[in-house]
Structures are given as structure tokens and as C-alpha cells.
Amino acid sequence: MASIAVSEQIIGLRQTLKVFTRRFTADREESSDLVQDTLLKALMHQDKFKPDTNLKGWLFTIMRNTFINNYRKHQRARVSRDRTKDLYFLNVEDNHTLNLPDSRCEYKDIWQHVNALREVLLIPFRMHINGYKYYEIAEQLHLPIGTVKNRIFQARQEIQKKLTGY
């Protein structure tokens, strides 16, 4: 009999849970799904609820954990939502690599412009893009740090002028 009473109390808090979902999402469908998942988990595991404790707090914890787990799952899968009529989920690959034919040409063009710099600018610039700190470049080239920063800045400016079409 006690489990029926707990089930009724859980179902009775449905509207409160719906309001609580606004902390996590503004999407109505996602909100409804979150409430349903929370209620389902609570009803399935109501034997784990301890009598004379805060039922609402227990439900809020289940909801928060469900939201976090769903968020992490979607992040791992790198899924984006297709807003078409059928609402399919599509896997999206990262295109941060330079594997496209056009990007290979751009990459070569950029490096041609970099290599065309005057040697006075090229050496500090290459050292900088290879991870050397300003003071390390200054020590190695026996230059003041201000001069190193200026030359790197000038190298960037010249490269940007040559790459106005990109």
C-alpha cells in the first residue's frame, strides 16, 4: 500500500517538475521528455526512496542527473537536430582538418606569402608560430623584446595585406 501512495505523490508532482525543467531547457518537447524520463525513473526506482525524506528534492536530483547524462551523451555523439518534418538525428563530423582541395591551395598560398617575408621579419615570425616566447626570441636573436614584438607585428601586417582575398 505504501508504494501506491508514493506513486501517487510522484505523479502529483508532475506540474512542479514541468516548471523545474525551465532551468534546463526552453524547448517544450525537450522539457516534456525530461519530465517523462524523470517520472519513469522515479516510478521504476521508488523502492530506493526513503520514507520521511524530501520527495521533491529526490525528483529534482533525478531530473538534474538525467539532463546532465543526456547532455553528455549528445556531446559525445556530436549530434545535431534536423528540424525537418520527420525530425531525424544526424551525425555531424568535425571539418576542422585541411583535407578539402580548396583549403590545400589556400594553405599553400598562405605559406608562400609567409616565406616571401623579408628575413628580418621571417625569422622572429617563424620562431613565434613555432611556440617560442617573445623573451626567448629576443635572447636568441640578441634583440630587445620590443623589437621582436614589432617585427612579429609587421610580419602579420604584411601577410594580412597579401591575403585580402581570403
Side-chain angles (χ1 to χ4, degrees):
M1 188 75 174
S3 101
I4 294 174
V6 171
S7 297
E8 288 176 358
Q9 288 177 347
I10 289 171
I11 300 299
L13 290 171
R14 182 184 188 111
Q15 189 60 37
T16 306
L17 291 173
K18 200 170 191 175
V19 171
F20 188 67
T21 61
R22 291 185 187 144
R23 290 184 177 191
F24 303 113
T25 181
D27 185 8
R28 251 191 195 142
E29 291 177 22
E30 193 174 338
S31 175
S32 295
D33 289 345
L34 188 56
V35 170
Q36 287 178 350
D37 289 345
T38 302
L39 291 174
L40 179 65
K41 287 179 182 181
L43 292 171
M44 287 175 55
H45 301 287
Q46 66 183 339
D47 57 313
K48 295 179 182 167
F49 176 71
K50 295 178 181 153
D52 300 325
T53 59
N54 185 358
L55 178 65
K56 197 185 308 183
W58 185 65
L59 291 172
F60 287 167
T61 301
I62 292 172
M63 180 178 282
R64 185 192 71 229
N65 291 342
T66 302
F67 176 79
I68 290 169
N69 290 339
N70 289 341
Y71 177 81
R72 287 179 179 160
K73 188 185 337 175
H74 289 294
Q75 286 296 93
R76 268 184 262 126
R78 295 185 187 267
V79 173
S80 67
R81 186 169 260 175
D82 182 11
R83 300 282 182 192
T84 61
K85 181 181 173 187
D86 297 326
L87 291 178
Y88 292 109
F89 279 98
L90 302 173
N91 284 329
V92 178
E93 295 180 15
D94 284 338
N95 287 328
H96 296 292
T97 59
L98 296 173
N99 291 334
L100 301 172
D102 292 340
S103 60
R104 285 187 189 270
C105 293
E106 291 172 3
Y107 183 79
K108 287 179 182 177
D109 288 344
I110 292 169
W111 278 105
Q112 279 180 334
H113 293 303
V114 169
N115 292 327
L117 289 172
R118 294 176 284 147
E119 190 173 344
V120 172
L121 302 178
L122 179 62
I123 294 171
F125 183 74
R126 278 189 167 262
M127 290 177 74
H128 182 67
I129 61 174
N130 285 323
Y132 286 92
K133 306 285 184 207
Y134 289 126
Y135 72 90
E136 294 172 331
I137 299 169
E139 285 176 7
Q140 199 161 6
L141 299 177
H142 306 292
L143 295 170
I145 196 165
T147 304
V148 169
K149 289 180 180 181
N150 188 26
R151 288 182 182 175
I152 293 170
F153 176 77
Q154 287 177 358
R156 286 182 181 150
Q157 293 295 313
E158 284 188 26
I159 294 168
Q160 285 177 353
K161 285 178 189 172
K162 293 175 183 176
L163 296 174
T164 54
Y166 288 101

